[in-house]
Amino acid sequence: MAILVVGGAGYIGSHAARALRRSGYEAVIYDNLSTGFRRLAQGFELVEGDIADEVRLRPVLARVDAVMHFAAHAYVGESVENPRKYFRNNVAGALSLLNSALDAGIRRFVFSSSCAVYGVPEKIPISEHTPRAPVNPYGASKLFFENALEAYGRAYGLCSVSLRYFNAAGGDEGGEIGEMHDPETHLIPLALAASAENGPELQVFGADYPTPDGTCVRDYIHVNDLADAHVRALQYLEKQHRERSRDEKGGDSLAVNLGTGRGHSVLEIIQAAENATGRPVRRTMGLRRPGDPPALVADPAKAQRVLGWAAQRNLADVVSSAWRWMEKTAQRHAA
Ligand SMILES: NC(=O)c1ccc[n+]([C@@H]2O[C@H](COP(=O)([O-])OP(=O)(O)OC[C@H]3O[C@@H](n4cnc5c(N)ncnc54)[C@H](O)[C@@H]3O)[C@@H](O)[C@H]2O)c1
């Protein structure tokens, strides 16, 4: 079975492509390399193109059975400053991809959604029953697409899974691939970089939140746990597809949280980074960033119940794998 991994030259997509291959699927990567990297797609067929390019997509979609859609702009702050860019890619571009997939006869679709669809939730942990009320254009773009998938399920028989990731982190245990964002805004790589001799200082945004140590709490999920969840989602869709084509029923749209169910504060992450590197993380304590919720922690029970998935790796695994990847990258640059 062949899967089109759209955005597969990016951080999470490249890990998912490898997980698919390990599970016996053929993965074809489709990416415009806007924030992705050719080297993350190494060893896979890479078709360069934009999600909005129907002509480029048509022959590729004709030879796959399902689509996994990772491609998006994903900086919350930038989405506030430049919503047009976000709605163009994450909504208009994504809809164009969805229509191309549908026209090619594809009925199985996995989407990278985000805990950003929940906005600032009243209750932690966050279950899928929590109202979806995004507080920035990035989250709104993800919610729009989730709604489109639901409507396409009802109207056109599409079977989809929206995976609402919490904070993806870490790298492949083999050290061959890992997190690559430019600019990097994610806490773990920034904390690790701040422990290097000449690295930039880590800026901590707010130490007066109503959390145990005053810093923000997030649910950090290992990227390979996320990747494995994509394989489970595909297996779920295969089952739906078989049962539905037999009974001639309509489509189906499932949305699940992907997190560990455990929150870690910024100070805990700093401690974990210091444990991994053996060096202090240089930091300055700054003011809160507008729009940052104090705590975002998943209730992952539905993913366990419906997909049979639960995170296997803990924070130490996340941080040590991220550190191994950073060290390897530094060695490669030095060579
Ligand atoms: N990283 C996280 O913690 C996190 C959390 C929640 C949700 N997500 C979502 O997961 C997905 C992947 O995130 P990531 O961290 O791997 O980001 P990334 O930037 O590393 O990967 C995105 C990939 O999509 C490609 N892309 C973007 N626009 C495209 C277009 N128009 N046409 C073709 N390719 C395009 C980029 O070149 C890149 O390779 C995104 O949809 C993001 O919103 C990420």
Side-chain angles (χ1 to χ4, degrees):
M1 185 169 166
I3 317 299
L4 193 63
V5 184
V6 181
Y11 170 44
I12 303 170
S14 61
H15 287 79
R18 280 157 182 81
L20 287 169
R21 187 156 64 190
R22 282 196 295 274
S23 300
Y25 296 98
E26 183 197 342
V28 177
I29 291 179
Y30 186 89
D31 201 298
N32 68 358
L33 299 178
S34 56
T35 57
F37 298 87
R38 203 176 289 282
R39 60 172 295 248
L40 293 181
Q42 234 166 34
F44 290 85
E45 181 189 355
L46 167 65
V47 180
E48 275 180 63
D50 194 278
I51 52 174
D53 188 342
E54 294 162 34
V55 175
R56 186 101 180 112
L57 270 167
R58 200 169 298 133
V60 197
L61 285 168
R63 55 193 174 92
V64 298
D65 305 284
V67 168
M68 286 195 179
H69 173 38
F70 297 88
H73 295 318
Y75 291 112
V76 169
E78 186 186 53
S79 81
V80 175
E81 284 154 26
N82 193 357
R84 184 174 177 159
K85 176 175 175 181
Y86 278 71
F87 292 130
R88 187 172 53 223
N89 202 30
N90 299 4
V91 174
L95 273 182
S96 178
L97 167 71
L98 181 59
N99 290 333
S100 297
L102 204 70
D103 291 346
I106 287 171
R107 294 293 177 271
R108 283 161 286 183
F109 200 100
V110 180
F111 169 54
S112 300
S113 190
S114 163
C115 63
V117 298
Y118 296 117
V120 184
E122 277 178 15
K123 229 176 70 204
I124 301 291
I126 303 168
S127 83
E128 291 80 359
H129 297 300
T130 303
R132 291 173 296 166
V135 290
N136 51 60
Y138 169 69
S141 75
K142 293 289 177 185
L143 176 56
F144 180 93
F145 199 73
E146 283 195 5
N147 286 334
L149 289 175
E150 282 168 32
Y152 277 41
R154 283 189 295 269
Y156 309 129
L158 183 78
C159 290
S160 69
V161 180
S162 292
L163 297 172
R164 297 180 185 148
Y165 315 157
F166 281 63
N167 288 51
D172 187 57
E173 282 84 0
E176 289 310 312
I177 54 170
E179 187 156 11
M180 282 176 93
H181 291 122
D182 185 15
E184 187 55 79
T185 57
H186 292 158
L187 177 60
I188 291 176
L190 292 177
L192 290 168
S195 80
E197 231 165 88
N198 297 317
E201 259 191 6
L202 178 70
Q203 173 90 13
V204 178
F205 297 109
D208 58 349
Y209 282 99
T211 58
D213 65 22
T215 61
C216 279
V217 168
R218 295 289 181 270
D219 186 336
Y220 295 89
I221 170 91
H222 194 286
V223 66
N224 269 351
D225 279 332
L226 283 185
D228 291 341
H230 286 75
V231 175
R232 300 283 181 138
L234 199 61
Q235 289 163 347
Y236 168 88
L237 287 177
E238 278 176 60
K239 191 161 164 274
Q240 293 289 313
H241 190 68
R242 273 195 307 274
E243 286 169 4
R244 278 170 199 265
S245 36
R246 202 173 44 233
D247 305 344
E248 289 180 19
K249 279 195 209 136
D252 174 69
S253 54
L254 173 75
V256 292
N257 290 338
L258 294 182
T260 65
R262 268 212 68 187
H264 293 285
S265 71
V266 176
L267 293 181
E268 283 182 283
I269 297 299
I270 290 175
Q271 184 60 59
E274 292 182 340
N275 293 345
T277 64
R279 290 195 297 258
V281 170
R282 291 176 311 109
R283 86 234 30 189
T284 49
M285 306 305 281
L287 296 175
R288 290 184 185 198
R289 237 175 358 191
D292 261 350
L296 292 173
V297 180
D299 173 351
K302 187 175 176 188
Q304 169 82 67
R305 199 172 60 247
V306 184
L307 301 180
W309 174 92
Q312 301 298 313
R313 296 158 180 90
N314 62 22
L315 182 65
D317 300 324
V318 166
V319 177
S320 60
S321 64
W323 179 233
R324 196 158 45 245
W325 159 248
M326 282 178 77
E327 281 190 306
K328 270 208 163 191
T329 309
Q331 282 162 10
R332 213 177 13 253
H333 287 154

